[in-house]
């Protein structure tokens, strides 16, 4: 029994140098103390906890410094710039990012790390378990919609691409262009890893109601949607262009329904409109087929890249 305890202690000491906990903050004085107590409570050494502050005007920085962790001022503005700044200071193989608003329990950190080591994943995302108490219906719907759009464009099957708690390999992150702003950074990281043939896995985690004022609004969801489209132009432009062409199916069907309605109920024949409806539908159908083909080619590209990487190993 004592031997097992010793082995576990040695393993814990080895893992101390595997990852750095990065916590972006902006006016989180109501939550940062509780967050750090939880992180320190699971035996994460202070020297592997990094607070990246975005210019807080409250007592966030003062509270964090009392816990003896490293606090730096981020370059630029927004969460994406906080992650970019953190990369300059992190020298461990992995980086664990979690929000500083108390919504993500630190007890899931070991599970994220274990999953990464077990599966050799480049990113492990904590999938938030939503309920009426911790998130409103409109935000849950928005998260589902944005994740669904992401999965469609990047041919993935993720459940929470915008989660604010995830573990990622630093080397994989350094390769990303990191051009997106604000809350789109999670989508950009996932898009880069998925599109370069690397592995993303997920584990379910608890999600709590935040302490302090809410920062994410409906307009931020629109910005994230815009940025996902921008990411598609970077990583999978053929699918996006073909899919946009496939949208011609919609006006084709609507116009066809209009022509059919007047013919069935009133006997009026609109030959030109009917011909246009058929052409729109058939052209859109062709674009849809090409969009599906582009996804298939992209999937083959992922497999080929993984096979080449495995040969190099």
């Amino acid at each position: 029994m004592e031997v097992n305890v010793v082995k576990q202690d040695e393993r814990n000491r080895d893992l101390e140098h595997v990852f750095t906990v990065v916590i972006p903050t902006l006016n989180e004085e109501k939550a940062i103390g509780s967050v750090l107590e939880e992180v320190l409570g699971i035996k994460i050494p202070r020297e592997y906890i990094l607070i990246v502050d975005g210019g807080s005007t409250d007592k966030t920085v003062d509270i964090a410094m009392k816990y003896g962790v490293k606090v730096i001022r981020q370059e630029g503005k927004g969460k994406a710039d906080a992650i970019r700044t953190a990369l300059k200071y992190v020298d461990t193989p992995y980086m664990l990012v979690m929000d500083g608003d108390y919504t993500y329990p630190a007890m899931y950190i070991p599970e994220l790390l274990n999953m990464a080591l077990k599966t050799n994943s480049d990113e492990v995302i904590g999938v938030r378990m939503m309920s009426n108490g911790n998130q409103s219906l409109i935000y849950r719907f928005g998260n589902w919609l944005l994740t669904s759009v992401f999965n469609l464009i990047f041919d993935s099957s993720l459940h929470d691409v915008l989660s604010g708690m995830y573990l990622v390999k630093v080397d994989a992150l350094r390769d990303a262009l990191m051009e997106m702003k604000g809350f789109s950074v999670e989508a950009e990281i996932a898009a880069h890893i998925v599109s370069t043939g690397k592995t993303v896995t997920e584990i379910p985690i608890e999600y709590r109601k935040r302490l302090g004022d809410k920062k994410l609004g409906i307009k931020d969801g629109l910005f994230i949607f815009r940025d996902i489209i921008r990411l598609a132009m970077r990583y999978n432009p053929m699918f996006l262009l073909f899919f946009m062409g496939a949208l011609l199916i919609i006006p084709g069907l609507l116009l066809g329904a209009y022509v059919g309605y007047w013919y069935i109920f009133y006997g009026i024949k609109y030959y030109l409109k009917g011909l246009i409806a058929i052409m729109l539908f058939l052209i859109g159908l062709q674009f849809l087929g090409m969009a599906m083909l582009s996804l298939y080619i992209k999937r083959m590209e992922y497999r080929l890249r993984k096979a080449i990487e495995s040969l190099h190993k």
Side-chain angles (χ1 to χ4, degrees), residues 122-123 167-169 172-173 176 188-200 235 302:
D122 296 275
E123 182 182 15
L167 184 81
V168 60
K169 282 184 178 179
L173 196 54
E188 181 174 14
I189 292 171
H192 174 73
I193 291 178
V194 168
S195 299
T196 52
K198 297 180 173 63
T199 306
V200 180
Y235 291 111
Y302 296 161

Side-chain angles (χ1 to χ4, degrees), residues 14-236:
D14 291 338
L15 295 181
E16 287 178 0
H17 305 283
V18 172
F19 69 101
T20 300
V21 177
V22 175
I23 307 176
T25 59
L26 178 62
N27 296 328
E28 302 289 2
E29 66 177 2
K30 295 180 180 179
I32 192 61
S34 299
V35 172
L36 289 174
E37 285 180 7
E38 283 194 350
V39 174
L40 293 169
I42 60 170
K43 310 302 181 184
I44 303 296
R46 285 176 170 80
E47 58 268 28
Y48 291 102
I49 302 174
L50 178 63
I51 303 293
V52 184
D53 189 71
S56 295
T57 56
D58 59 7
K59 298 179 181 179
T60 299
V61 173
D62 295 333
I63 295 172
M65 293 184 68
K66 289 180 180 179
Y67 285 88
V69 300
K70 188 171 184 177
V71 181
I72 61 173
R73 178 70 178 268
Q74 79 173 61
E75 301 173 8
K77 183 180 180 181
K79 190 175 183 181
D81 283 334
I83 302 301
R84 280 188 280 268
T85 303
L87 282 172
K88 298 180 180 181
Y89 293 85
V90 173
D91 57 3
T92 51
Y94 288 92
M95 182 169 81
L96 185 136
V97 180
M98 62 184 297
D99 291 343
D101 57 8
Y102 195 66
T103 51
Y104 299 92
M107 65 179 180
Y108 291 101
I109 292 177
E111 294 185 31
L112 289 164
L113 179 61
N114 289 334
M115 176 60 74
L117 297 177
K118 178 182 177 181
T119 60
N120 194 29
S121 298
D122 296 275
E123 182 182 15
V124 182
I125 300 174
V127 178
R128 294 169 288 182
M129 298 293 101
M130 298 292 190
S131 67
N132 292 329
N134 57 27
Q135 195 65 278
S136 66
L137 181 61
I138 188 170
Y139 281 98
R140 281 185 285 156
F141 173 76
N143 185 68
W144 171 84
L145 181 61
L146 291 170
T147 298
S148 299
V149 171
F150 181 94
N151 286 334
L152 175 64
I153 292 175
F154 294 99
D155 191 28
S156 58
S157 56
L158 302 178
H159 297 86
D160 190 8
V161 72
L162 301 177
S163 173
M165 186 175 190
Y166 50 93
L167 184 81
V168 60
K169 282 184 178 179
V170 174
D171 287 343
L173 196 54
R174 293 191 196 280
D175 293 338
L177 295 178
M178 302 290 287
E179 294 177 341
M180 301 297 114
K181 300 292 183 181
F183 296 101
S184 301
V185 62
E186 279 83 17
E188 181 174 14
I189 292 171
H192 174 73
I193 291 178
V194 168
S195 299
T196 52
K198 297 180 173 63
T199 306
V200 180
T201 54
E202 301 173 312
I203 66 167
I205 63 172
E206 179 188 352
Y207 185 70
R208 302 178 294 206
K209 193 171 183 178
R210 66 168 289 129
L211 299 179
D213 298 329
K214 184 179 290 292
K215 296 185 177 73
L216 187 65
I218 295 177
K219 67 176 183 178
D220 294 298
L222 297 176
F223 291 149
I224 293 171
F225 176 80
R226 176 203 63 190
D227 289 339
I228 289 177
I229 300 302
R230 290 173 59 195
L231 289 168
M233 289 300 296
R234 181 198 300 171
Y235 291 111
N236 198 359

